[in-house]
Short mmCIF file of all heavy atoms in Angstrom, two decimals:
data_model
loop_
_atom_site.label_atom_id
_atom_site.label_comp_id
_atom_site.label_asym_id
_atom_site.label_seq_id
_atom_site.Cartn_x
_atom_site.Cartn_y
_atom_site.Cartn_z
N VAL A 10 13.56 2.88 -92.98
CA VAL A 10 14.82 2.43 -93.59
C VAL A 10 15.04 0.94 -93.33
O VAL A 10 15.41 0.17 -94.23
CB VAL A 10 16.01 3.26 -93.06
CG1 VAL A 10 17.33 2.64 -93.51
CG2 VAL A 10 15.91 4.70 -93.55
N LYS A 11 14.79 0.53 -92.09
CA LYS A 11 14.94 -0.88 -91.73
C LYS A 11 14.04 -1.76 -92.59
O LYS A 11 14.46 -2.82 -93.10
CB LYS A 11 14.61 -1.07 -90.25
CG LYS A 11 14.67 -2.52 -89.79
CD LYS A 11 14.23 -2.64 -88.33
CE LYS A 11 14.21 -4.10 -87.90
NZ LYS A 11 13.74 -4.26 -86.49
N THR A 12 12.78 -1.33 -92.77
CA THR A 12 11.83 -2.11 -93.57
C THR A 12 12.30 -2.21 -95.02
O THR A 12 12.28 -3.29 -95.62
CB THR A 12 10.44 -1.46 -93.52
OG1 THR A 12 10.01 -1.38 -92.16
CG2 THR A 12 9.42 -2.26 -94.33
N PHE A 13 12.72 -1.07 -95.59
CA PHE A 13 13.18 -1.06 -96.98
C PHE A 13 14.37 -2.00 -97.18
O PHE A 13 14.42 -2.75 -98.16
CB PHE A 13 13.57 0.36 -97.39
CG PHE A 13 12.40 1.23 -97.78
CD1 PHE A 13 11.09 0.81 -97.52
CD2 PHE A 13 12.58 2.46 -98.38
CE1 PHE A 13 10.00 1.60 -97.87
CE2 PHE A 13 11.50 3.26 -98.73
CZ PHE A 13 10.20 2.82 -98.47
N LEU A 14 15.31 -1.98 -96.23
CA LEU A 14 16.51 -2.82 -96.36
C LEU A 14 16.18 -4.29 -96.12
O LEU A 14 16.75 -5.17 -96.78
CB LEU A 14 17.60 -2.34 -95.39
CG LEU A 14 18.16 -0.94 -95.68
CD1 LEU A 14 19.21 -0.56 -94.65
CD2 LEU A 14 18.74 -0.84 -97.08
N ASN A 15 15.29 -4.57 -95.17
CA ASN A 15 14.91 -5.95 -94.90
C ASN A 15 14.20 -6.59 -96.10
O ASN A 15 14.19 -7.82 -96.25
CB ASN A 15 14.01 -6.04 -93.67
CG ASN A 15 14.81 -5.98 -92.37
OD1 ASN A 15 16.01 -6.21 -92.36
ND2 ASN A 15 14.14 -5.63 -91.29
N TYR A 16 13.58 -5.75 -96.93
CA TYR A 16 12.92 -6.26 -98.14
C TYR A 16 13.76 -6.03 -99.39
O TYR A 16 13.29 -6.25 -100.51
CB TYR A 16 11.54 -5.61 -98.31
CG TYR A 16 10.50 -6.20 -97.38
CD1 TYR A 16 10.23 -5.60 -96.15
CD2 TYR A 16 9.81 -7.37 -97.71
CE1 TYR A 16 9.28 -6.14 -95.28
CE2 TYR A 16 8.87 -7.91 -96.85
CZ TYR A 16 8.61 -7.29 -95.64
OH TYR A 16 7.67 -7.84 -94.78
N GLY A 17 14.98 -5.58 -99.21
CA GLY A 17 15.92 -5.44 -100.33
C GLY A 17 15.53 -4.38 -101.34
O GLY A 17 15.89 -4.48 -102.52
N LEU A 18 14.84 -3.34 -100.90
CA LEU A 18 14.40 -2.31 -101.84
C LEU A 18 15.54 -1.37 -102.24
O LEU A 18 15.39 -0.57 -103.16
CB LEU A 18 13.24 -1.50 -101.25
CG LEU A 18 11.98 -2.30 -100.90
CD1 LEU A 18 10.85 -1.36 -100.49
CD2 LEU A 18 11.54 -3.18 -102.06
N ASP A 19 16.69 -1.48 -101.53
CA ASP A 19 17.84 -0.68 -101.94
C ASP A 19 18.35 -1.11 -103.31
O ASP A 19 19.12 -0.38 -103.96
CB ASP A 19 18.97 -0.78 -100.90
CG ASP A 19 19.33 -2.22 -100.58
OD1 ASP A 19 18.42 -3.07 -100.50
OD2 ASP A 19 20.53 -2.49 -100.39
N GLU A 20 17.91 -2.27 -103.78
CA GLU A 20 18.31 -2.73 -105.12
C GLU A 20 17.74 -1.84 -106.23
O GLU A 20 18.22 -1.87 -107.35
CB GLU A 20 17.83 -4.18 -105.33
CG GLU A 20 18.50 -5.19 -104.42
CD GLU A 20 17.92 -6.59 -104.62
OE1 GLU A 20 17.18 -6.79 -105.61
OE2 GLU A 20 18.20 -7.47 -103.79
N LEU A 21 16.69 -1.07 -105.89
CA LEU A 21 16.10 -0.19 -106.89
C LEU A 21 17.08 0.89 -107.35
O LEU A 21 16.98 1.40 -108.47
CB LEU A 21 14.83 0.47 -106.34
CG LEU A 21 13.61 -0.45 -106.17
CD1 LEU A 21 12.50 0.27 -105.41
CD2 LEU A 21 13.11 -0.92 -107.52
N ILE A 22 18.02 1.26 -106.45
CA ILE A 22 19.04 2.24 -106.82
C ILE A 22 20.39 1.51 -106.86
O ILE A 22 20.90 1.07 -105.83
CB ILE A 22 19.11 3.39 -105.81
CG1 ILE A 22 17.75 4.07 -105.68
CG2 ILE A 22 20.18 4.41 -106.21
CD1 ILE A 22 17.70 5.21 -104.68
N PRO A 23 20.99 1.35 -108.04
CA PRO A 23 22.27 0.65 -108.15
C PRO A 23 23.32 1.29 -107.23
O PRO A 23 23.38 2.52 -107.09
CB PRO A 23 22.65 0.84 -109.63
CG PRO A 23 21.35 1.10 -110.32
CD PRO A 23 20.50 1.83 -109.34
N ARG A 24 24.14 0.47 -106.59
CA ARG A 24 25.12 0.95 -105.62
C ARG A 24 26.08 1.97 -106.23
O ARG A 24 26.46 2.95 -105.59
CB ARG A 24 25.91 -0.23 -105.04
CG ARG A 24 26.83 0.16 -103.89
CD ARG A 24 27.48 -1.05 -103.24
NE ARG A 24 28.40 -0.65 -102.18
CZ ARG A 24 28.04 -0.34 -100.95
NH1 ARG A 24 26.77 -0.39 -100.61
NH2 ARG A 24 28.94 0.02 -100.05
N GLU A 25 26.45 1.74 -107.50
CA GLU A 25 27.41 2.64 -108.13
C GLU A 25 26.85 4.05 -108.33
O GLU A 25 27.60 5.01 -108.53
CB GLU A 25 27.89 2.09 -109.47
CG GLU A 25 26.80 1.89 -110.52
CD GLU A 25 26.13 0.53 -110.42
OE1 GLU A 25 26.36 -0.18 -109.41
OE2 GLU A 25 25.41 0.17 -111.37
N LEU A 27 24.92 5.54 -106.01
CA LEU A 27 24.69 6.16 -104.71
C LEU A 27 25.81 7.17 -104.39
O LEU A 27 26.97 6.94 -104.73
CB LEU A 27 24.67 5.09 -103.61
CG LEU A 27 23.44 4.19 -103.53
CD1 LEU A 27 23.67 3.09 -102.50
CD2 LEU A 27 22.20 5.00 -103.15
N ALA A 31 25.64 8.03 -98.79
CA ALA A 31 24.66 6.96 -98.78
C ALA A 31 25.35 5.59 -98.74
O ALA A 31 24.87 4.66 -98.07
CB ALA A 31 23.77 7.07 -100.01
N ARG A 35 24.83 2.90 -95.84
CA ARG A 35 24.38 1.53 -96.15
C ARG A 35 25.33 0.52 -95.54
O ARG A 35 24.90 -0.50 -94.97
CB ARG A 35 24.30 1.34 -97.68
CG ARG A 35 23.86 -0.08 -98.09
CD ARG A 35 22.43 -0.32 -97.67
NE ARG A 35 22.00 -1.69 -97.84
CZ ARG A 35 22.10 -2.63 -96.89
NH1 ARG A 35 22.66 -2.36 -95.71
NH2 ARG A 35 21.64 -3.84 -97.10
N THR A 36 26.62 0.77 -95.61
CA THR A 36 27.61 -0.16 -95.05
C THR A 36 27.51 -0.22 -93.54
O THR A 36 27.66 -1.28 -92.92
CB THR A 36 29.03 0.28 -95.47
OG1 THR A 36 29.09 0.35 -96.90
CG2 THR A 36 30.07 -0.72 -94.98
N LEU A 38 24.92 0.03 -91.75
CA LEU A 38 23.73 -0.73 -91.33
C LEU A 38 23.87 -2.18 -91.81
O LEU A 38 22.95 -2.76 -92.38
CB LEU A 38 22.47 -0.08 -91.92
CG LEU A 38 22.17 1.35 -91.46
CD1 LEU A 38 21.02 1.95 -92.26
CD2 LEU A 38 21.84 1.38 -89.96
N LEU A 41 21.23 -5.06 -91.35
CA LEU A 41 19.94 -5.02 -92.03
C LEU A 41 20.12 -5.55 -93.45
O LEU A 41 20.61 -4.85 -94.34
CB LEU A 41 19.39 -3.58 -92.06
CG LEU A 41 19.13 -2.93 -90.70
CD1 LEU A 41 18.66 -1.50 -90.87
CD2 LEU A 41 18.11 -3.74 -89.90
N ARG A 42 19.72 -6.78 -93.67
CA ARG A 42 19.91 -7.44 -94.96
C ARG A 42 18.58 -7.88 -95.54
O ARG A 42 17.58 -8.01 -94.83
CB ARG A 42 20.84 -8.67 -94.81
CG ARG A 42 22.25 -8.32 -94.39
CD ARG A 42 22.95 -7.49 -95.45
NE ARG A 42 24.32 -7.16 -95.10
CZ ARG A 42 24.93 -6.04 -95.44
NH1 ARG A 42 24.25 -5.12 -96.10
NH2 ARG A 42 26.18 -5.81 -95.10
N ASN A 43 18.57 -8.13 -96.81
CA ASN A 43 17.37 -8.61 -97.52
C ASN A 43 17.00 -10.00 -97.00
O ASN A 43 17.76 -10.96 -97.15
CB ASN A 43 17.66 -8.66 -99.02
CG ASN A 43 16.43 -9.08 -99.81
OD1 ASN A 43 15.36 -9.33 -99.26
ND2 ASN A 43 16.58 -9.17 -101.12
N ILE A 50 11.14 -8.42 -106.87
CA ILE A 50 11.21 -7.07 -106.30
C ILE A 50 9.83 -6.45 -106.18
O ILE A 50 9.55 -5.72 -105.23
CB ILE A 50 12.15 -6.18 -107.16
CG1 ILE A 50 12.34 -4.80 -106.51
CG2 ILE A 50 11.62 -6.03 -108.58
CD1 ILE A 50 13.11 -4.82 -105.24
N ARG A 53 8.20 -7.80 -103.06
CA ARG A 53 8.87 -7.26 -101.89
C ARG A 53 8.44 -5.82 -101.62
O ARG A 53 8.27 -5.41 -100.48
CB ARG A 53 10.39 -7.32 -102.08
CG ARG A 53 10.98 -8.72 -101.83
CD ARG A 53 12.48 -8.69 -101.93
NE ARG A 53 12.95 -8.91 -103.29
CZ ARG A 53 14.01 -8.33 -103.84
NH1 ARG A 53 14.69 -7.45 -103.16
NH2 ARG A 53 14.37 -8.62 -105.06
N PHE A 54 8.27 -5.05 -102.68
CA PHE A 54 7.84 -3.67 -102.54
C PHE A 54 6.44 -3.61 -101.91
O PHE A 54 6.19 -2.83 -100.99
CB PHE A 54 7.83 -2.99 -103.91
CG PHE A 54 7.60 -1.50 -103.85
CD1 PHE A 54 8.67 -0.63 -103.67
CD2 PHE A 54 6.33 -0.96 -103.96
CE1 PHE A 54 8.48 0.74 -103.61
CE2 PHE A 54 6.12 0.41 -103.89
CZ PHE A 54 7.20 1.26 -103.72
N PHE A 172 12.92 10.14 -99.71
CA PHE A 172 13.21 9.01 -100.60
C PHE A 172 12.91 9.37 -102.06
O PHE A 172 13.61 8.92 -102.97
CB PHE A 172 12.40 7.79 -100.18
CG PHE A 172 12.93 7.10 -98.95
CD1 PHE A 172 12.27 7.17 -97.74
CD2 PHE A 172 14.12 6.38 -99.01
CE1 PHE A 172 12.76 6.56 -96.61
CE2 PHE A 172 14.63 5.75 -97.89
CZ PHE A 172 13.95 5.84 -96.68
N LEU A 176 15.43 9.04 -105.13
CA LEU A 176 15.05 8.24 -106.28
C LEU A 176 15.15 9.07 -107.56
O LEU A 176 15.64 8.60 -108.59
CB LEU A 176 13.63 7.71 -106.10
CG LEU A 176 13.24 6.44 -106.86
CD1 LEU A 176 14.08 5.27 -106.41
CD2 LEU A 176 11.76 6.13 -106.63
N TYR A 180 18.19 7.22 -109.31
CA TYR A 180 17.60 6.07 -110.00
C TYR A 180 17.52 6.36 -111.49
O TYR A 180 17.14 7.46 -111.90
CB TYR A 180 16.21 5.79 -109.43
CG TYR A 180 15.51 4.57 -110.00
CD1 TYR A 180 16.20 3.39 -110.24
CD2 TYR A 180 14.15 4.61 -110.27
CE1 TYR A 180 15.55 2.28 -110.75
CE2 TYR A 180 13.49 3.50 -110.77
CZ TYR A 180 14.20 2.34 -111.02
OH TYR A 180 13.54 1.25 -111.52
#
Side-chain angles (χ1 to χ4, degrees):
V10 170
K11 177 184 176 182
T12 302
F13 279 11
L14 294 179
N15 281 341
Y16 283 94
L18 300 187
D19 53 322
E20 294 176 12
L21 288 171
I22 303 179
R24 187 174 177 82
E25 61 272 12
L27 287 173
R35 179 67 188 91
T36 303
L38 297 172
L41 299 177
R42 295 296 181 213
N43 183 1
I50 185 69
R53 281 184 271 144
F54 189 87
F172 284 108
L176 204 63
Y180 183 41

